[in-house]
Amino acid sequence: MAKRKETEDAEERPHSLEDSSDSSDEDTNMLDVEFEWFDPQPEHDFQGLKILLRQLLDVDAQLFDLSSLADLILEQPLLGSTVKVDGNETDPYAFLTVLNLRQHMEKPVIKNMISYITQQATTSSDLLPLKDVLENSEVGLILTERLINIPAEVSPPMYKMLLEEINWAIEEKEPYTFSHYLILSKTYQEVVSALDTQMNRPSKKKKKELAKEAKKEMFYFHPEDEIVQRYAALYGGYEYKNKEADGQSDARRTFQELGIKPQGHLMLIEASKFQDTVQAMEDYLRPS
């Protein structure tokens, strides 16, 4: 049975970054899509979760045992949600879950995840305090991802249901009393297109203009992350360990002359501020 149903306007476009290029409003077809929220289903969601986890972790996904991570998510079917459009037996278009890092710290996939996060945190001065928090606090790792072009409005219901489910789990003496929540996400920066540079051989003046346009501004794959950061005790980005293949930024192009370069992003929220964070997210994404 679905947790909740909701109809959203969704763009009739493929779920891929390649098709995120500029287009006029006249060329955009809109569809009414009925989204449904479900508990994670071990018999239906394994492959879909692996795909979404691979997208979330980007080029570093190969550093993790995604099958074990998906299995761990599916081992707690009463905590977290998936979003689907064609019924319970189809692949999820989005998911959200929380994992108790201390409870699962001896499991290889979580041990690897903690090590990865700790190492990546040392590469950013903004994230340096994270190591101490992971070692001395009860941290819930929030993993969430959705297919490209799935509207951000599907996220607040998942977060609100997670809050309820955590409260129910605590009442049942389950190990979900956290001091902090750590959200693993991703952002991107615009970069000069190497493809255009090679094909068009722009002048020095044009190169300077493109470089200036591709300034080091951070953009969000998940718009709600901008709100989450306002409530975060700390947040910051990090370069992925694995390097993208040549031309990959062009394969992800979102603008006519610019490609994009993704990077990992971490946000730590104190548990006492988590409910306010979710409410602010819902207010921000509420349809006008």
Side-chain angles (χ1 to χ4, degrees), residues 73-104:
I73 293 170
L74 293 170
E75 285 174 8
Q76 44 183 42
L78 299 182
L79 203 65
S81 301
T82 61
V83 178
K84 303 181 180 183
V85 297
D86 293 317
N88 189 24
E89 297 182 3
T90 59
D91 288 335
Y93 282 32
F95 85 98
L96 183 145
T97 195
V98 63
L99 299 172
N100 187 326
L101 292 183
R102 189 173 299 279
Q103 179 192 14
H104 300 299

Side-chain angles (χ1 to χ4, degrees), residues 13 22 55 60 87 116 137 156 191 199 201 255 263-264:
R13 301 174 63 188
D22 288 344
Q55 178 178 301
D60 279 357
Y116 173 84
S137 302
V191 295
M199 293 180 62
R201 298 184 181 277
F255 300 97
Q263 65 174 13

Side-chain angles (χ1 to χ4, degrees), residues 71 167 219:
D71 282 337
N167 288 334
F219 298 90

Side-chain angles (χ1 to χ4, degrees), residues 41-49 74 84 88-92:
Q41 304 290 320
E43 61 271 32
H44 304 305
D45 295 343
F46 177 75
Q47 291 298 335
L49 282 179
L74 293 170
K84 303 181 180 183
N88 189 24
E89 297 182 3
T90 59
D91 288 335

Side-chain angles (χ1 to χ4, degrees), residues 231-280:
Y231 291 82
L234 62 86
Y235 63 87
Y238 58 88
E239 297 284 337
Y240 289 124
K241 288 187 174 184
N242 290 328
K243 302 301 181 184
E244 287 191 327
D246 291 341
Q248 185 64 27
S249 62
D250 286 308
R252 303 174 186 261
R253 288 172 65 162
T254 56
F255 300 97
Q256 184 175 359
E257 295 184 313
L258 297 174
I260 65 172
K261 179 183 178 182
Q263 65 174 13
H265 198 69
L266 292 164
M267 298 170 287
L268 184 74
I269 304 169
E270 295 173 355
S272 60
K273 297 182 179 180
F274 190 47
Q275 186 167 346
D276 290 341
T277 303
V278 174
Q279 184 60 57

Side-chain angles (χ1 to χ4, degrees), residues 63-74:
L63 301 177
F64 299 93
D65 182 348
L66 297 185
S67 294
S68 294
L69 190 55
D71 282 337
L72 187 57
I73 293 170
L74 293 170

Side-chain angles (χ1 to χ4, degrees), residues 8 146 149-157 221-224 281 285:
E8 296 279 0
R146 55 183 178 267
N149 292 341
I150 294 298
E153 285 80 3
V154 303
S155 288
F221 282 106
H222 300 161
E224 63 271 22
M281 183 193 306
L285 294 173

